[in-house]
Amino acid sequence: MEIWINPACSKCRSAISLLDAEGAQYTVRRYLEDVPAEDEIREVLGRLGLEPWDITRTQEAAAKELELKDWPRDAGARDRWIAALAAHPKLIQRPIITADDGTAVVARTEDAVRDALSR
């Protein structure tokens, strides 16, 4: 299991605390420093069963600068969204846990973290 985190994020710290409390084996990826490539983002989106706009932090300054709210949310724009996430990793929702069974969850709640642990 791997967890993508921003150490400054309280949701990330909570998820790590719960994983530790449960004795989970996991790898931490500080995705702002170890930025995922577009292919990795595509893979995680497939594991999540989500689209790039579903995991985009639209209130970030970069999102406003890019005017993401005006971008289409359809198959034709998918690669553009993924490129934006790779170029501006702060836009990626966090934390994301990739589970051992090949799935992933956006682990912003205790229930989501427990869901990842059960996989």
Side-chain angles (χ1 to χ4, degrees):
M1 159 179 322
E2 181 176 77
I3 182 168
W4 291 10
I5 68 159
N6 173 352
C9 168
S10 63
K11 300 280 187 193
C12 294
R13 291 191 307 271
S14 294
I16 293 284
S17 292
L18 182 54
L19 291 174
D20 288 344
E22 295 294 326
Q25 298 292 318
Y26 62 92
T27 303
V28 170
R29 180 171 187 173
R30 293 179 178 214
Y31 72 95
L32 297 179
E33 298 164 14
D34 182 9
V35 179
E38 290 181 28
D39 286 344
E40 290 177 284
I41 294 169
R42 280 187 191 85
E43 179 190 345
V44 165
L45 287 167
R47 293 173 79 165
L48 287 166
L50 296 173
E51 293 296 338
W53 45 86
D54 296 327
I55 66 161
T56 300
R57 297 173 54 84
T58 56
Q59 296 306 311
E60 291 289 334
K64 292 176 181 175
E65 186 178 303
L66 294 169
E67 299 179 345
L68 290 182
K69 66 181 175 72
D70 297 329
W71 288 17
R73 296 177 181 215
D74 58 31
R78 190 171 199 269
D79 287 341
R80 183 179 179 198
W81 281 85
I82 291 169
L85 293 174
H88 306 277
K90 205 168 197 181
L91 295 176
I92 299 172
Q93 191 60 262
R94 63 198 182 238
I96 293 176
I97 297 175
T98 55
D100 293 336
D101 71 350
T103 62
V105 296
V106 177
R108 294 190 55 76
T109 66
E110 185 174 310
D111 286 343
V113 176
R114 291 192 185 286
D115 180 40
L117 284 167
S118 71
R119 296 178 183 200

